[in-house]
């Protein structure tokens, strides 16, 4: 007699086992080309350029405060300045009538710097840009002999604004002839250092575009930039950024899971120490493999939920949780036949979620996962959803709010990464966490790359295995092991001197039965769990006599 438990599962979550392993820290290195990320071409970079930096522009009444921070990673990069001066060039776009009288003025606007000796204070020069709606702010020349690798430098300038309103800016870093840009003994910059445009020529002038063209003055905005990416990233707090996750049971998890959120927390917490926010703390069925009180477990995910439902959550969540980062993994349930929604419907719901996030916080950074989908949904549907979500990200990205697609489809292996064709095993949790963490590192210069992904762990051994033999039938039952794809039951007739044989497999039921036992014979049994193709050690061997 085979006894089965029937369950209807609509993204109800998986179960996890404990893995004892330290995930290695690796440095962040942005790798995606600027032209691919933002749709415009920039210079290829230069070996002498600063490794990383930050640009802030703040409106203060009728003035604008500009701050440019940078550092050189190696002594070689400083040496490659080859004796040239370093000049910071900010081309500011304005809205207003043409004419020099309508531009910014540099009168009584000294620069300030930190990290540089007093005798190397840079000059400030303001002139016309290449068009009548541009103002060129030139800050330089910074002497290479005063730089040290790994040290942070900051140059700030407060600029009184003219009638024309600033609408955006492009930052360039130039290496130019130091003799041309050195100040005189009186501390006054030669006139030729204040003349020309960003494209000013000369064999000793090189430029590196480092801030994207769409970034606008808007209160107290900020961009990070990296020399090897030749572009910029939205600024996030170095520590304590507020992260909110929106998802279904793949994100929520079930009792005993770690969830991908846990592994993302493990990777981000040591240096960035984000604050994970949300209205929920536990999975949909109970606590995690690691108790929720011991890590950043807060989230806003719910088993069985569709993006069309989450749309209604967002305004209140944005007010209560105030996230800087929103990580979204939704759309799987929308495409189920019982929902009656298409890929277009799911994409439209996710588009509304993104729009509501940005309406509540125009500087929120949003990671939009492309899910692999439910096992009952055709791959072509999820492929269509992926294309549509890429369009949502492109259309909704602004200069202050980057909507970045996280590819959760390519490389996803349902045999390895799920225990039921939909919900993640621990290997699947690692996979999802790595994709979100790496996207944060590459597209937002936040945190570190995930590094190597551990292989699937051996599942835990089934516990509390018990058996009942009656009327020539045997019934074996045991406790659930998280994220198990199937259980295997091994049986031997010890009275007849038999060996253990595989008697049952392929089911996630927590009990198994067989008829036709020989009355009076002693039978031994044990149970194993299988996940991601790996089988657990056997449970304790039990014995029962057929009566």
């Amino acid at each position: 007699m085979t006894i089965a438990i029937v369950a209807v599962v609509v993204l109800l979550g998986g179960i996890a086992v404990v893995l004892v392993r330290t995930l290695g820290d690796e440095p962040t290195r942005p790798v995606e080309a600027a032209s691919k990320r933002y749709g415009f071409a920039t210079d290829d970079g230069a070996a002498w350029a600063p490794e990383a930096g930050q640009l802030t522009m703040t409106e203060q009444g009728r003035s604008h405060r500009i701050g440019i921070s940078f550092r050189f990673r190696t002594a070689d990069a400083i040496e490659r300045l080859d004796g040239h001066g370093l000049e910071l060039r900010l081309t500011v776009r304005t809205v207003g009538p043409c004419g020099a009288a309508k531009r910014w003025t540099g009168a009584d606007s000294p620069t300030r710097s930190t990290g540089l000796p007093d005798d190397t204070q840079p000059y400030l020069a303001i002139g016309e840009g290449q068009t009548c709606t541009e103002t060129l702010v030139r800050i330089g020349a910074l002497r290479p002999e005063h730089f040290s690798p790994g040290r942070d430098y900051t140059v700030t300038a407060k600029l009184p604004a003219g009638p024309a309103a600033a609408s955006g800016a492009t930052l360039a870093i130039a290496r130019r002839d130091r003799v041309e840009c050195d100040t005189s003994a009186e501390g006054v910059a030669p006139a030729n250092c204040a003349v020309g445009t960003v494209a000013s020529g000369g064999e000793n002038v090189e430029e590196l575009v480092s801030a994207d063209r769409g970034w606008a003055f808007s209160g107290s905005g900020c961009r990070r930039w990296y020399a090897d990416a030749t572009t910029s990233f939205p600024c996030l707090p170095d520590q304590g950024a507020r992260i909110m996750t929106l998802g279904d049971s793949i994100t929520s998890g079930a009792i005993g899971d770690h969830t991908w959120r846990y592994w993302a927390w493990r990777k981000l917490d040591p240096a960035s120490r984000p604050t994970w926010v949300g209205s929920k703390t536990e999975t949909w069925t109970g606590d995690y493999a690691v108790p929720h009180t011991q890590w950043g477990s807060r989230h806003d995910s719910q088993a069985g939920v569709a993006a069309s439902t989450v749309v209604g959550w967002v305004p209140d969540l944005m007010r209560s949780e105030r996230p800087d980062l929103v990580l979204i993994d939704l759309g799987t349930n929308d495409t189920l036949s019982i929902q009656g929604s298409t890929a277009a419907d799911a994409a439209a719901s996710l588009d509304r979620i993104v729009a509501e996030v940005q309406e509540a916080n125009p500087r929120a950074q949003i990671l939009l996962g492309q899910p692999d989908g439910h096992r009952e949904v055709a791959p072509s549907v999820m492929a269509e959803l992926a294309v549509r979500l890429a369009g949502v990200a492109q259309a909704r990205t602004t200069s202050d709010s980057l909507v970045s697609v996280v590819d959760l489809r390519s490389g996803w292996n349902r045999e390895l990464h799920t225990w039921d064709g939909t919900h993640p095993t621990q290997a699947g949790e690692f996979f999802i966490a790595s994709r979100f963490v790496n996207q944060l590192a590459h597209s937002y210069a936040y945190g570190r790359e995930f590094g190597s992904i551990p292989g699937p762990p051996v599942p835990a051994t089934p516990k509390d295995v018990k058996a009942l033999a009656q009327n020539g039938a045997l019934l074996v039952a045991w406790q659930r092991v998280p994220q198990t794809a199937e259980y295997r039951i091994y049986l031997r007739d010890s009275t007849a001197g038999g060996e253990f044989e595989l008697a049952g497999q392929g089911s996630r039921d927590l009990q198994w039965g067989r008829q036709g036992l020989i009355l009076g014979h002693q039978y031994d049994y044990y149970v194993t769990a299988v996940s991601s193709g790996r089988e657990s050690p056997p449970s304790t061997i039990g014995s029962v006599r057929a009566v």
Side-chain angles (χ1 to χ4, degrees):
M1 178 177 61
T2 300
I3 302 174
I5 299 175
V6 179
V8 178
V9 180
V10 181
L11 282 185
L12 296 181
I15 309 299
V17 290
V18 176
L19 175 74
V20 180
R21 176 165 179 164
T22 300
L23 303 179
D25 290 336
E26 294 188 3
T28 299
R29 300 301 299 161
V31 296
E32 190 176 19
S35 58
K36 181 178 179 181
R37 184 182 298 115
Y38 291 109
F40 64 86
T42 62
D43 297 341
D44 292 331
W48 53 266
E51 177 212 19
Q54 179 171 301
L55 167 66
T56 58
M57 298 189 291
T58 309
E59 277 187 307
Q60 297 177 338
R62 293 296 300 160
S63 298
H64 299 280
R65 181 185 180 277
I66 298 173
I68 303 171
S69 303
F70 62 94
R71 68 175 178 269
F72 288 92
R73 182 168 61 92
T74 66
D76 286 345
I78 299 173
E79 291 176 2
R80 291 189 185 107
L81 283 169
D82 194 25
H84 291 64
L86 190 71
E87 186 176 74
L88 309 173
R89 301 176 176 183
L90 199 65
T91 305
V92 181
R93 292 177 301 283
T94 56
V95 177
C98 294
K102 306 299 182 183
R103 302 185 183 282
W104 288 10
T105 173
D108 301 321
S109 303
T111 62
R112 296 182 180 180
S113 65
T114 57
L116 292 166
D118 292 340
D119 62 352
T120 61
Q121 293 302 312
Y123 66 81
L124 173 70
I126 299 178
E128 293 190 4
Q130 293 178 318
T131 72
C132 70
T133 59
E134 290 181 351
T135 300
L136 179 62
V137 181
R138 302 156 66 94
I139 306 172
L142 308 176
R143 299 170 182 260
E145 62 265 30
H146 292 298
F147 294 135
S148 298
R151 186 169 183 178
D152 291 323
Y153 300 96
T154 301
V155 177
T156 60
K158 189 174 181 180
L159 308 174
S167 64
T170 298
L171 172 68
I173 303 172
R175 180 179 73 168
R176 60 180 301 163
D177 193 319
R178 207 181 73 188
V179 174
E180 180 185 358
C181 290
D182 274 349
T183 57
S184 66
E186 291 76 24
V188 178
N192 58 2
C193 277
V195 176
T197 68
V198 170
S200 59
E203 62 181 13
N204 292 323
V205 177
E206 298 182 51
E207 294 177 355
L208 175 70
V209 177
S210 301
D212 76 280
R213 293 165 171 78
W215 195 65
F217 284 90
S218 54
S220 57
C222 175
R223 303 292 291 187
R224 294 184 189 275
W225 46 267
Y226 281 79
D228 55 354
T230 63
T231 189
S232 65
F233 309 84
C235 278
L236 290 163
D238 290 327
Q239 292 194 356
R242 298 174 67 84
I243 301 178
M244 181 174 73
T245 54
L246 298 175
D248 45 42
S249 62
I250 291 175
T251 298
S252 170
I255 186 171
D257 285 8
H258 286 89
T259 75
W260 67 261
R261 293 180 287 108
Y262 171 79
W263 302 115
W265 171 84
R266 278 275 302 271
K267 176 56 61 173
L268 294 174
D269 188 67
S272 303
R273 298 197 177 279
T275 300
W276 297 77
V277 298
S279 60
K280 299 178 176 64
T281 57
E282 300 178 66
T283 74
W284 69 278
T285 54
D287 214 344
Y288 309 86
V290 177
H292 71 275
T293 55
Q294 297 180 17
W295 61 285
S297 61
R298 287 196 166 272
H299 66 101
D300 280 292
S301 307
Q302 181 173 304
V305 78
S308 57
T309 300
V310 176
V311 170
W313 299 357
V314 174
D316 287 343
L317 288 174
M318 291 299 295
R319 281 191 293 269
S320 62
E321 308 303 335
R322 297 173 289 107
D324 303 301
L325 273 164
V326 180
L327 280 51
I328 303 171
D329 185 8
L330 287 164
T332 297
N333 285 329
D334 297 73
T335 54
L336 282 171
S337 58
I338 61 173
Q339 294 285 352
S341 298
T342 65
D345 295 329
S349 295
L350 284 158
D351 181 64
R352 290 197 296 273
I353 289 173
V354 172
E356 289 183 349
V357 168
Q358 292 176 324
E359 182 178 351
N361 179 3
R363 292 196 184 92
Q365 310 308 320
I366 302 167
L367 278 71
L368 188 59
Q370 292 176 328
D372 181 66
H374 198 280
R375 64 181 181 274
E376 297 177 2
V377 176
S380 59
V381 174
M382 304 315 295
E384 179 187 348
L385 178 59
V387 172
R388 290 181 179 276
L389 292 185
V392 169
Q394 182 177 10
R396 290 294 180 184
T397 290
T398 71
S399 57
D400 289 323
S401 176
L402 174 61
V403 183
S404 180
V405 168
V406 181
D407 180 8
L408 302 179
R409 299 182 66 245
S410 62
W412 182 259
N413 182 332
R414 291 190 177 185
E415 294 297 319
L416 174 67
H417 294 133
T418 77
W419 55 270
D420 64 349
T422 304
H423 299 92
T425 59
Q426 191 159 298
E429 292 175 352
F430 287 139
F431 178 93
I432 297 171
S434 69
R435 292 296 172 96
F436 274 102
V437 168
N438 288 343
Q439 196 76 1
L440 284 172
H442 296 165
S443 295
Y444 301 86
Y446 184 77
R448 299 180 174 87
E449 290 185 358
F450 194 89
S452 60
I453 302 176
V458 175
T461 300
K463 297 180 180 179
D464 197 23
V465 180
K466 298 178 180 179
L468 173 66
Q470 189 173 353
N471 299 325
L474 174 67
L475 176 64
V476 182
W478 55 90
Q479 288 185 351
R480 183 171 182 256
V481 176
Q483 297 179 336
T484 294
E486 65 168 324
Y487 296 97
R488 294 176 181 174
I489 299 89
Y490 294 83
L491 188 68
R492 74 180 175 188
D493 184 343
S494 56
T495 300
E499 300 294 331
F500 275 110
E501 295 181 356
L502 180 61
Q505 64 177 336
S507 173
R508 294 193 300 274
D509 294 341
L510 301 181
Q511 47 191 336
W512 170 87
R514 167 172 286 188
Q515 295 179 321
L517 302 184
I518 301 174
L519 297 180
H521 278 220
Q522 185 84 17
Y523 289 87
D524 301 329
Y525 58 87
Y526 67 84
V527 182
T528 64
V530 178
S531 181
S532 297
R534 305 199 68 179
E535 188 172 8
S536 74
S539 66
T540 301
I541 296 174
S543 298
V544 66
R545 185 174 298 278
V547 295

